[in-house]
Amino acid sequence: QKEVEQNSGPLSVPEGAIASLNCTYSDRGSQSFFWYRQYSGKSPELIMFIYSNGDKEDGRFTAQLNKASQYVSLLIRDSQPSDSATYLCAVPLGGYQKVTFGIGTKLQVIP
Amino acid sequence: GAGVSQSPSNKVTEKGKDVELRCDPISGHTALYWYRQSLGQGLEFLIYFQGNSAPDKSGLPSDRFSAERTGGSVSTLTIQRTQQEDSAVYLCASSLVGFTEGDEQYFGPGTRLTVT
């Protein structure tokens, strides 16, 4: 099992729909979880972090964390073509000394 | 203020040559990270510096790779005797305090290394 697992996609959704991106992780002791967005040819940028079970909302983005099931998800409401990018899940494994990134899920929002 | 800067932005080198990649973190950030991203792949952690502590080098793929951070600021990643499989984008990131809850990493634009 990979330490941080994501479906590479592409995930295609129509404009205005909800995009749901999922990430599972292997270290039950992990405490913080990050979602980064990476446009093609650009560097990653942080869009959300979450460390408590439940939901965290920021504008059109909602991060959902379930530590018992070891998954974290990112929902994007009212998806826009400008949301088309690769979304990377990042989890500090084994304490805070190593952040492991998932392979990323490529999202395509179709106008 | 300025973000994380990296130089060069592109580097083409011949197999067997040494290369040095530079990273200037955001002023005041104590933590600095190096990652590698190959085409179509995720980010591969290479090394992490935190203040004056000994760096975590466990992500370096071979002993041809080394990195240093001078004066707690600028960092240089050196790849000796480059191989074609070293071709990738090398990303540097910095953060304020290191891996704590919500400590955001700010990424530089990357150096695209091509080994011919």
Side-chain angles (χ1 to χ4, degrees):
Chain A
Q1 180 191 6
K2 292 182 180 178
E3 294 177 311
V4 180
E5 201 150 0
Q6 295 181 260
N7 188 320
S8 62
L11 171 66
S12 294
V13 300
E15 183 175 355
I18 296 175
S20 178
L21 307 163
N22 299 310
C23 171
T24 59
Y25 58 94
S26 61
D27 184 357
R28 189 172 289 277
S30 296
Q31 297 295 317
S32 297
F33 308 86
F34 302 82
W35 282 100
Y36 285 79
R37 177 177 60 197
Q38 186 175 25
Y39 291 112
S40 181
K42 301 295 185 182
S43 297
E45 56 180 342
L46 182 71
I47 53 172
M48 290 282 283
F49 74 89
I50 185 168
Y51 54 87
S52 298
N53 267 331
D55 295 0
K56 179 181 179 181
E57 188 174 317
D58 184 1
R60 294 186 297 111
F61 298 94
T62 299
Q64 298 177 320
L65 175 60
N66 185 322
K67 291 185 178 180
S69 300
Q70 294 175 240
Y71 81 79
V72 56
S73 61
L74 180 69
L75 302 179
I76 306 175
R77 291 183 300 281
D78 188 24
S79 295
Q80 301 297 309
S82 59
D83 295 327
S84 298
T86 296
Y87 289 81
L88 300 163
C89 172
V91 182
L93 300 177
Y96 288 105
Q97 297 304 309
K98 289 184 185 180
V99 165
T100 299
F101 283 78
I103 194 171
T105 299
K106 185 174 183 178
L107 173 66
Q108 296 175 338
V109 181
I110 311 301
Chain B
V4 178
S5 61
Q6 292 186 245
S7 61
S9 55
N10 280 285
K11 177 71 176 179
V12 180
T13 189
E14 292 180 351
K15 178 182 174 181
K17 297 290 179 83
D18 298 351
V19 294
E20 285 189 351
L21 312 179
R22 177 188 168 104
C23 172
D24 280 279
I26 292 173
S27 178
H29 280 192
T30 63
L32 186 147
Y33 320 76
W34 282 99
Y35 298 92
R36 177 170 71 175
Q37 189 172 35
S38 301
L39 187 64
Q41 301 299 310
L43 292 174
E44 177 187 2
F45 169 85
L46 297 178
I47 188 169
Y48 163 61
F49 294 90
Q50 171 56 57
N52 296 320
S53 301
D56 180 350
K57 303 180 181 180
S58 58
L60 296 178
S62 79
D63 58 9
R64 296 186 295 105
F65 288 72
S66 63
E68 62 178 20
R69 188 179 184 191
T70 55
S73 182
V74 172
S75 178
T76 302
L77 177 69
T78 301
I79 308 173
Q80 296 178 312
R81 305 181 302 281
T82 52
Q83 303 295 313
Q84 288 185 330
E85 60 263 29
D86 299 335
S87 297
V89 175
Y90 289 80
L91 289 162
C92 174
S94 71
S95 69
L96 191 59
V97 294
F99 292 136
T100 59
E101 292 178 354
D103 188 46
E104 178 177 356
Q105 294 184 40
Y106 294 82
F107 283 82
T111 293
R112 182 176 297 279
L113 175 66
T114 303
V115 182
T116 62

